[in-house]
Amino acid sequence: MILPLSLEAVAYGVGQKPIITPLSLELSAGASTILLGANGAGKSVLMRLMHGLLSPTAGRVVWHEPEAARQRRLQAMVFQRPVMLRRSALENVRYVLRAAGEDASDSRALQALDEVGLRHVASQPARALSGGEQQRLALARAWALHPEVLFLDEPSASLDPSATREIEALVQAFDAAGTKIIMATHNLGQARRLGDEVLFLHQGRLVERAPVEAFFTRPASPEAAAFIRGELPWV
Ligand SMILES: Nc1ncnc2c1ncn2[C@@H]1O[C@H](COP(=O)(O)OP(=O)(O)OP(=O)(O)O)[C@@H](O)[C@H]1O
Ligand SMILES: [Mg+2]
């Protein structure tokens, strides 16, 4: 197990600009964790710090698993804007399997495409797929590695409702298979459907951590209350 993940007074800044102010928390297996906050609140930066793509400028990110290679191998991330290699959908999956030192056979990659309903486009250029298909391919690449922790940065941003539901069904399946989900989203319905707890960020600060229903019905901070009102245009 690489979990739990501990952030010990983690901060991140660029030059004089603080982007994440010192923040400590522990994330354990099981509960799905949703990151919420306005544009620019620091959600993507925080996930990159957790995933190890950025190094904190202060504090430490500590996984239960001490070995760096296993830490990397057991976590995957799907980015806000998926980057597709200029190759077929199948080769995109084989590439990540190879890079992780896993069996990169066609049959294993096809199985990953199958799980996200993309077997029929296996030989098509990944960059020619629709936005929703590219997001599902990004999920297939992450899922092919059967990670213990899956970071998802707004995986259904700019997708239509049916493509969004497809992504949500996949995330639910990964969760049911025992993968810890850590996801940023602006879709509050999605946060309620998929999340168990919310981490709410405001201007680089972790303002609130709460079970998902408590967060939406009884936000403890004025910042969270204003955010919920602002994101629900009919209120
Ligand atoms: N390398 C960088 N240099 C300077 N500023 C940066 C850098 N990376 C991020 N930032 C700033 O840090 C802040 C947080 O960015 P981040 O991408 O984490 O926001 P976010 O919560 O993911 O927003 P969104 O909802 O729009 O995706 C932003 O103001 C951004 O401009
Ligand atoms: Mg972001």
Side-chain angles (χ1 to χ4, degrees):
M1 295 285 281
I2 57 169
L3 289 166
L5 165 65
S6 300
L7 273 59
E8 298 174 356
V10 165
Y12 185 76
V14 175
Q16 293 301 311
K17 185 182 172 194
I19 292 177
I20 298 291
T21 55
L23 173 162
S24 298
L25 58 86
E26 184 168 301
L27 296 175
S28 353
S32 295
T33 300
I34 307 289
L35 301 184
L36 293 179
N39 292 134
K43 304 179 296 295
S44 296
V45 168
L46 180 58
M47 278 204 280
R48 283 168 186 267
L49 287 165
M50 290 174 173
H51 189 44
L53 293 171
L54 288 175
S55 298
T57 43
R60 296 199 312 150
V61 173
V62 183
W63 293 91
H64 176 68
E65 164 65 55
E67 198 192 312
R70 281 182 57 77
Q71 280 176 15
R72 278 196 302 275
R73 168 63 193 80
L74 292 171
Q75 49 169 320
M77 182 154 173
V78 172
F79 295 94
Q80 200 162 350
R81 296 181 207 87
V83 182
M84 297 291 137
L85 299 178
R86 209 177 285 280
R87 302 180 192 178
S88 70
L90 186 75
E91 286 303 321
N92 266 266
V93 179
R94 292 192 56 224
Y95 178 84
V96 294
L97 287 168
R98 243 189 339 267
E102 301 267 318
D103 160 26
S105 62
D106 280 4
S107 63
R108 170 127 183 230
L110 277 170
Q111 190 192 333
L113 289 178
D114 239 352
E115 288 179 50
V116 301
L118 286 183
R119 179 184 269 263
H120 63 292
V121 297
S123 60
Q124 288 185 27
R127 293 187 182 189
L129 301 178
S130 76
E133 288 167 342
Q134 289 194 19
Q135 278 294 11
R136 277 192 283 151
L137 179 54
L139 278 171
R141 287 190 308 202
W143 186 242
L145 302 171
H146 291 289
E148 198 181 306
V149 179
L150 180 57
F151 293 98
L152 300 160
D153 197 351
E154 299 190 40
S156 60
S158 75
L159 300 186
D160 70 25
S162 104
T164 298
R165 289 304 177 130
E166 285 172 8
I167 297 287
E168 289 183 10
L170 289 170
V171 173
Q172 268 162 342
F174 299 163
D175 178 29
T179 292
K180 162 86 176 180
I181 304 293
I182 301 174
M183 179 175 84
T185 182
H186 282 282
N187 180 330
L188 300 191
Q190 178 170 80
R192 288 177 108 135
R193 285 189 291 278
L194 299 182
D196 296 307
E197 64 161 359
V198 169
L199 300 181
F200 176 71
L201 292 173
H202 180 70
Q203 297 177 354
R205 263 188 321 127
L206 177 63
V207 171
E208 198 165 330
R209 180 179 191 172
V212 74
E213 274 315 306
F215 178 81
F216 285 111
T217 52
R218 299 181 302 281
S221 60
E223 292 91 347
F227 170 80
I228 294 167
R229 276 198 308 276
E231 295 276 316
L232 296 173
W234 57 87
V235 173

